[in-house]
Structures are given as structure tokens and as C-alpha cells.
Amino acid sequence: LARDTFGAVLWIWSLCPSAEISPLQTIALPTANSLDAGEVGTIETGGAGHYQYRRIQGTFRHDWDMRRYPFDRNRIVIPLDETRYGASVVVFEPDVEESFLEPTARRGLEEWHISDLALRTSVSEEPSSYGLPNVDASRYARLEASVDLERTQLLTFFKLTAGVFAAALIAFLTFFYDPRDRAGFSGRLGLLVGTLFAVLISLRTADTTIGDASRLTLVTEIHLITLVVIVALALLALLERRRAENDLWVTYPNW
């Protein structure tokens, strides 16, 4: 999540009228960070068409939206683009009936509810002819394989925020310090400073774990609210100490 990537293994196949066109050798996966593409295999179909298959394993870019974490939902998409033949020669037609998501993927990601594999084809309009004379803007076939992920478990969320809730509880215990006691006032501020640093460290750990540091996530909001509460308690402690020094009435213990 922190790297905005995901890994996938694909088995892709094509069935063409003849062997003159081999799309599995000319496709590109534009969102891939790294690819390990196997050799293109061919199987004779006895006149039913030219059948080829290929295994591809890679790491793909995806902007994980964690603003509603742990109630987040993401759609991961792997686009496949034809790069040699234009749409006037090659278009894609998805094999919906035979395409599927491997069941082990669901067992390996128990934190998520995973939808079935969805396939969608289109024709991309390139903004340039890439310098080729007497040619309009290029049009190429595209296929997108997508899966919806909906988080169903909250264990990671509780592990990331348990320290924050504990720090908030400890911070509220400062109401039981006697504001008339100078030593107690120092201990009260020391306790608040300790919880403040604990929340800051927890915030950094949460940003590293779930990523999306540039967005205001629910986990971030919990941390920020706790920080504001701790600062408010410190200001309240200072106010009560000033009142005690001026022989004004203060509440102790402040239930």
C-alpha cells in the first residue's frame, strides 16, 4: 500500500484467424513497474484459429485511496495495449466465459472481499502520430482486466489506533493531578508531553503502514484530533495552575 503498487500473475491467451498477427508479442502493460514475461506458446487448434498463450508476472502501479480506511474500496485495473497494429487491423474481444480469478487469490487476501474478474475492451485515441507522415492520430486496441476490493476486517485498523486511544485515556488522567501542587503541575505537563510524542510516533507509523500520506485519512484524523485534545489539556493545566497561584477556586479531582 505504501508504495502504491500491487503484484499479479496473468495467464493471457489469444485466438486469431491466422498466424500473421500475434498480439501477445506486441502488447504492452503501461502501468507495470516490473515485468517477468514468459515465452509465447502456440497450440494447434485444427483449423479453429491461431491460438497462443503467455504467462506474465509483474508489479503494477495503483493509487490506493485510503481516505476511508478501514472502510475503503478500491478497483485495481491492469490495462493491456496493442502497440504495433492499429485498431483498423486488430481489436480485442474479451473471452468472458473462460476468464476467471484464481481462487487462491481470495484465500491469500482474507482481509478483503474480492469481486469476480471483469474485462472491458476499448480503443485508445493517441494524441500523436509519433512523427509518422500522412497519418492521423493513432488508434489502438486496449483491454482492461479489473477486480474490486472491499476491506472486511478491522484488525489492522485497531492495531494502528490502539496506541492513540491509550494515549488519550492517559492524557485525561491528568485531571486527577492537584493543580495547587507545584510538583504535581510539573508531573502533569510531563505526562502530557509523553503522550504527545507517543501520538506523533504512532502517526508516523500509520503513514508508513498504509501510505497515502498526502491525503487526510480517517486514521490521520484520529491522530490529529488526539493531538489537539492533548494540547487543549496542557492549556487547561496551565490555566488551572494560574488560578491556584492567585488563590482562585479550582476543581480537584476534576471528574
Side-chain angles (χ1 to χ4, degrees):
L1 298 179
R3 296 180 181 178
D4 277 339
T5 59
F6 67 92
V9 177
L10 309 175
W11 282 98
I12 56 179
W13 59 86
S14 65
L15 185 63
C16 299
S18 66
E20 296 178 358
I21 297 177
S22 180
L24 297 192
Q25 295 181 348
T26 58
I27 59 171
L29 289 83
T31 61
N33 273 357
S34 62
L35 280 179
D36 181 12
E39 298 293 331
V40 176
T42 302
I43 296 179
E44 295 297 331
T45 60
H50 184 65
Y51 180 89
Q52 290 186 321
Y53 63 91
R54 192 175 195 181
R55 181 187 186 274
I56 296 178
Q57 181 173 352
T59 303
F60 303 90
R61 295 183 298 276
H62 175 72
D63 184 14
W64 292 94
D65 188 354
M66 307 297 290
R67 285 174 293 185
R68 299 185 67 249
Y69 174 88
F71 310 105
D72 51 319
R73 183 187 181 104
N74 281 268
R75 171 173 292 178
I76 58 175
V77 180
I78 302 178
L80 297 90
D81 291 340
E82 172 61 43
T83 61
R84 179 179 300 176
Y85 304 103
S88 61
V89 179
V90 172
V91 292
F92 294 144
E93 180 181 346
D95 189 357
V96 177
E97 293 183 0
E98 297 296 334
S99 300
F100 65 97
L101 181 68
E102 174 63 35
T104 55
R106 289 187 170 90
R107 292 196 293 268
L109 298 173
E110 296 180 351
E111 189 176 358
W112 300 87
H113 170 73
I114 306 177
S115 71
D116 293 331
L117 179 68
L119 300 176
R120 187 177 69 90
T121 59
S122 61
V123 175
S124 63
E125 298 282 349
E126 298 293 330
S128 170
S129 62
Y130 302 102
L132 189 64
N134 302 320
V135 175
D136 295 330
S138 304
R139 302 173 70 249
Y140 291 94
R142 163 171 284 201
L143 184 144
E144 292 181 345
S146 62
V147 173
D148 290 331
L149 303 177
E150 183 177 3
R151 198 181 302 272
T152 58
Q153 293 185 10
L154 305 179
L155 178 60
T156 305
F157 171 75
F158 288 131
K159 291 171 66 176
L160 290 175
T161 56
V164 184
F165 296 133
L169 175 62
I170 294 174
F172 278 111
L173 293 179
T174 59
F175 282 114
F176 294 94
Y177 277 93
D178 189 350
R180 297 165 297 183
D181 182 6
R182 181 179 296 274
F185 174 71
S186 299
R188 186 174 184 178
L189 286 185
L191 184 61
L192 289 174
V193 170
T195 56
L196 183 70
F197 277 104
V199 173
L200 289 174
I201 294 174
S202 177
L203 174 60
R204 184 172 182 178
T205 302
D207 285 341
T208 303
T209 302
I210 69 176
D212 226 357
S214 62
R215 295 190 177 116
L216 193 61
T217 66
L218 177 60
V219 174
T220 306
E221 291 174 350
I222 291 174
H223 282 80
L224 294 180
I225 291 173
T226 307
L227 290 175
V228 171
V229 168
I230 293 174
V231 172
L233 293 178
L235 295 176
L236 182 60
L238 179 61
L239 176 62
E240 289 185 343
R241 178 58 191 163
R242 291 293 300 273
R243 289 178 59 86
E245 290 179 345
N246 294 327
D247 295 327
L248 298 176
W249 178 79
V250 291
T251 301
Y252 170 76
N254 193 345
W255 291 99

